[in-house]
Amino acid sequence: MAQDFNPSSLFQMAENSRRKKVDIKDKFITLAHGSGGKATHQLVEGLFLEYLRNPILEKLEDQAVFSISHQVNKTNSVNKLDSLRFAFTTDSFVVNPIFFPGGDIGKLAIYGTINDLAMSGAKPLYLSAAFIIEEGFLVEDLKKIVQSMQIAAQKAQIQIVTGDTKVVEKGSVDKLFINTSGIGLIESNVQISSTLAQAGDKVIVSGTIGDHGTTIMIARGELELEADIKSDTAPLNFLVQDIINEVTSLGKLNSLHCLRDPTRGGIATTLNEIALSSNVYIEVYQNNIPIQEEVNGACEILGLDPLYVANEGKLIAIVSSDVAEQVLERIKKNPLGQNASIIGEVKSTPSAIVAMVTSFGGSRIVDMLVGDQLPRIC
Amino acid sequence: MAQDFNPSSLFQMAENSRRKKVDIKDKFITLAHGSGGKATHQLVEGLFLEYLRNPILEKLEDQAVFSISHQVNKTNSVNKLDSLRFAFTTDSFVVNPIFFPGGDIGKLAIYGTINDLAMSGAKPLYLSAAFIIEEGFLVEDLKKIVQSMQIAAQKAQIQIVTGDTKVVEKGSVDKLFINTSGIGLIESNVQISSTLAQAGDKVIVSGTIGDHGTTIMIARGELELEADIKSDTAPLNFLVQDIINEVTSLGKLNSLHCLRDPTRGGIATTLNEIALSSNVYIEVYQNNIPIQEEVNGACEILGLDPLYVANEGKLIAIVSSDVAEQVLERIKKNPLGQNASIIGEVKSTPSAIVAMVTSFGGSRIVDMLVGDQLPRIC
């Protein structure tokens, strides 16, 4: 995926290929359309957005943000309009296997949706949970998964308030799929968006990359590889609150520009999305990217590039350089952010491009994920 | 399912069997757990609620209703707390086949979720849409379904603001499943709940029953039966608004007690849920229940009891007798309510029971659905 990087003509080629009107020419849906990478973008922009377009959806963030207005002070006949700002998100979980080191499909579903809400600066409030279960599924396994969801919900301080259960015939679904949707309230005046990265900003990652995806690949047992790795699935809402508190206390709420959890497609895909949305160049330094030795080793054996491997309990924050060190220190104080690191910076050109300065001092374009190296990772 | 009805001891037996602490003793999940009937209730109360219990979830309505408070008038240092009342719901759609007379899985997903919101008296605002697609699915079919969702969303005046796409390997899901979750705002002071049916109330159904379920069964082609029937899938939010407007204009907002869309398990299951939640006896009159002749005929051939067959564009309203006629007339003015009828009334005892006075003047207990006569109906 990473190409040798050299002349600016290469940048131009990459940019041109991305700026084309998105059209979906495929006749059949392939696993690549679910990868979170290029094919997913083509499907989303060329099909879903084509029909369902509206100002909120077309932002293509991991959550919708909208305000709901209502009349207050009716008794005083003031009829003043007040509004609340909400985040709303949905995710279906089809991870295989459903139990894996560090978690299970239920825990993943709770934290995955909480994290999508948190990345808008919202405080997650309420979640829904919808189960599609294969006939013959063990009730005991369902109990384990629902109990795991309960523990996760308590840990993240949210409530599951509504649900749905469908059962389909044996062979019509692989064991169990869970959808969680969620609502959060954005209490501060924070403005976070993938479109807001600016030249001069710093890129922070909150911890080691590739843990979740590598764990799942090993848990499938296809390679009989054993490694002491577990999924990093975790609720990031309190870490986000720490970051917001930090920039607030610095009087620089507007210095927090982007927050994303780099799940499917890994940090490479997330950074590409930001580079594209903000029309900036993002340069990362390989030496600064935290990665566990075991994960690195397993990725080599599995033939995976850790930049493209899914994370579940990590976030990328892009902030103004003047607050970067303080935000980094604050993140590091949170147990989920101990290994945080400033991994790169934002520049203005060549726009819509991500490149990595390698350990050897070279530089390579880090493109969006093509194909799907890791189906059913979440 | 309907048993011969005679002495009060039968009532007592039925009541005793329902009042037992719900426990799930099954070792494996069966299709009955997805039927919306008795086994679903055991699964929901004995497992999901056991772990995830909280005051909102345990109401077990088709949607969660909650208030979100926030500070207003901060500039005047008044710090008054104002609150908004929301409805939130989720539904996964696994209908087979995905295209059927009168609709498709996309249209069903939009209207199904809108209707669950509307039944709380909420104005549906925003929907999410999450797709789980089988590898190899035709892009052309996906386009048709998403276009159908677009048309449905426009018709119901809501927006799809966030989404998710997963693709799984061929054989891991049967073609396409869609989850839609939604948020609505409850603007009036209406208080609607399955717990609020009272002796003296009238039971209104907004139109013919059994259309959707019968259509799906025929569309599966297993019986080579042809009939001029189509699914009644439709958005009920404007019809609900009509009802609220009517009781508001009568100055009797509190006379609207229950609203439910009788989907899985049909009107029999919905009425049983209300009878149980409100601890009342509900008596319906077979002669008053609107049903299309073709549906009745098809049900006979298919061996189905139309009382248990799913509807998608119908609602049951339970209102005080003093407003029943006016509400009925208002419903009939809406194209979706032309065939509305008062089908029964609420009495106090024997509590938690539904019975039907048959065309022949007899009376039968109408119990909750046992087993699943119609898997994957929605």
Side-chain angles (χ1 to χ4, degrees), chain A residues 64-110:
Chain A
V65 171
F66 47 80
S67 295
I68 294 181
S69 300
H70 69 124
Q71 292 187 324
V72 293
N73 285 344
K74 273 184 255 186
T75 48
N76 301 341
S77 313
V78 176
N79 282 338
K80 183 186 136 196
L81 277 175
D82 205 56
S83 78
L84 285 173
R85 202 152 60 107
F86 292 92
F88 179 36
T89 193
T90 190
D91 255 311
S92 291
F93 293 83
V94 298
V95 66
N96 175 30
I98 54 176
F99 296 100
F100 48 81
D104 57 69
I105 189 172
K107 186 177 176 184
L108 201 64
I110 299 294

Side-chain angles (χ1 to χ4, degrees), chain A residues 27 29 51 54 70 72-73 82 91-92 136-137 139 150 160 164-166 169 172 174 181 264 376, chain B residues 27 29 51 54 70 72 80 82 91-92 136-137 139 150 160 164-166 169 172 174 181 264 376:
Chain A
K27 197 171 169 192
I29 296 293
Y51 291 111
N54 60 60
H70 69 124
V72 293
N73 285 344
D82 205 56
D91 255 311
S92 291
F137 192 78
V139 169
Q150 174 198 26
I160 298 161
D164 179 53
T165 312
K166 294 290 187 307
E169 318 89 316
S172 289
D174 185 15
S181 300
R264 274 187 296 182
R376 297 182 61 188
Chain B
K27 196 170 170 194
I29 296 293
Y51 290 111
N54 61 60
H70 69 123
V72 293
K80 182 186 135 195
D82 203 57
D91 255 311
S92 290
F137 192 77
V139 169
Q150 173 197 28
I160 298 161
D164 179 53
T165 311
K166 295 289 188 310
E169 318 89 317
S172 290
D174 185 14
S181 300
R264 274 188 296 182
R376 296 182 62 188

Side-chain angles (χ1 to χ4, degrees), chain A residues 8 10 58 178 193:
Chain A
S8 66
L10 239 182
E58 73 185 2
I178 300 177
S193 162

Side-chain angles (χ1 to χ4, degrees), chain A residues 98-99 104-106 131 133 136-148 175-176 178, chain B residues 27-29 47 51:
Chain A
I98 54 176
F99 296 100
D104 57 69
I105 189 172
F131 298 81
I133 314 172
F137 192 78
L138 274 174
V139 169
E140 207 47 52
D141 280 350
L142 187 60
K143 277 188 186 169
K144 277 184 210 159
I145 288 162
V146 176
Q147 189 170 24
S148 165
K175 296 186 279 292
L176 172 71
I178 300 177
Chain B
K27 196 170 170 194
F28 300 102
I29 296 293
L47 198 160
Y51 290 111

